[in-house]
Amino acid sequence: MVFIHDTSIVDKSSKIGDNTRIWHFCHIMHNVIIGNNVIVGQNCFIANDVHIGNGVKIQNNVSIYKGVIIENNVFVGPSVVFTNVINPRAFIERKEAYQTTLVKKGASIGANATIICSNTIGNYAMIGAGSVVTKTVKDYALVVGNPAKQIAWVSKAGNTLQFNEQQIAYCDESKEHYQIVDNNLVVLQE
């Protein structure tokens, strides 16, 4: 059971998972794989060979170019921009220079953010609206600005964490404890 709006084009070689909805004026190119329970908002473009995991929400006006990989349960806000070439020129063809961008499980990218290619957005990371990501973002990091800089850590539920003297924090919503270890955030087992 897939919903594809009449105004959208999905090339036959693409695979669309169950309960996925593709809204108005979208174009899904060749050999795209979209998982189950995905929402693709209106006026989106997904280029050849892109892989999108399960439970992803792609808001309106997003283009996802070849080289971008989106894992499960990622939120991509409206008008997010992905690049795939570091040094584009209109008069030089650089299709062999496409670079990979990985957006890991549970990450959220705010509206109008720009993700420069060859970077990784970590698990459950949060990119603030309008940010320009120029380097890899750690798991659970909250980054904002241009260029994006880390300002805090967030839980799986997306809440900013407050740490005690032992560098341990608790999230009431996700019901998990977190600790900063070697400048990385880890989930503590209870």
Side-chain angles (χ1 to χ4, degrees), residues 74-139:
V74 167
F75 176 86
V76 181
S79 302
V80 165
V81 175
F82 290 96
T83 69
N84 62 1
V85 174
I86 284 291
N87 56 345
R89 293 285 194 210
F91 55 89
I92 300 173
E93 187 93 10
R94 290 200 165 121
K95 290 183 179 174
E96 75 289 343
Y98 289 171
Q99 297 188 27
T100 300
T101 298
L102 175 60
V103 183
K104 289 187 166 184
K105 175 179 64 177
S108 293
I109 305 173
N112 296 303
T114 299
I115 312 302
I116 304 300
C117 59
S118 79
N119 292 301
T120 297
I121 308 292
N123 294 305
Y124 305 103
M126 187 169 284
I127 312 303
S131 297
V132 179
V133 174
T134 60
K135 60 184 180 182
T136 290
V137 176
K138 293 181 178 188
D139 294 350

Side-chain angles (χ1 to χ4, degrees), residues 138-142 150-155 160-170 177-188:
K138 293 181 178 188
D139 294 350
Y140 302 101
L142 169 60
Q150 184 175 348
I151 62 166
W153 298 102
V154 294
S155 67
T160 303
L161 295 170
Q162 304 297 322
F163 293 88
N164 64 20
E165 303 81 34
Q166 291 80 34
Q167 296 299 300
I168 295 174
Y170 178 74
H177 286 89
Y178 300 85
Q179 184 172 26
I180 299 172
V181 178
D182 297 327
N183 204 28
N184 292 296
L185 194 69
V186 296
V187 179
L188 298 177

Side-chain angles (χ1 to χ4, degrees), residues 2-10 14-17 19-28 32 34 38-44 46:
V2 173
F3 171 80
I4 300 170
H5 192 271
D6 292 343
T7 60
S8 290
I9 299 168
V10 177
S14 290
K15 295 179 180 147
I16 311 299
N19 299 314
T20 289
R21 292 172 280 174
I22 300 171
W23 291 99
H24 307 66
F25 313 115
C26 293
H27 188 179
I28 312 301
V32 170
I34 298 177
V38 173
I39 297 172
V40 179
Q42 70 181 19
N43 195 39
C44 291
I46 302 177

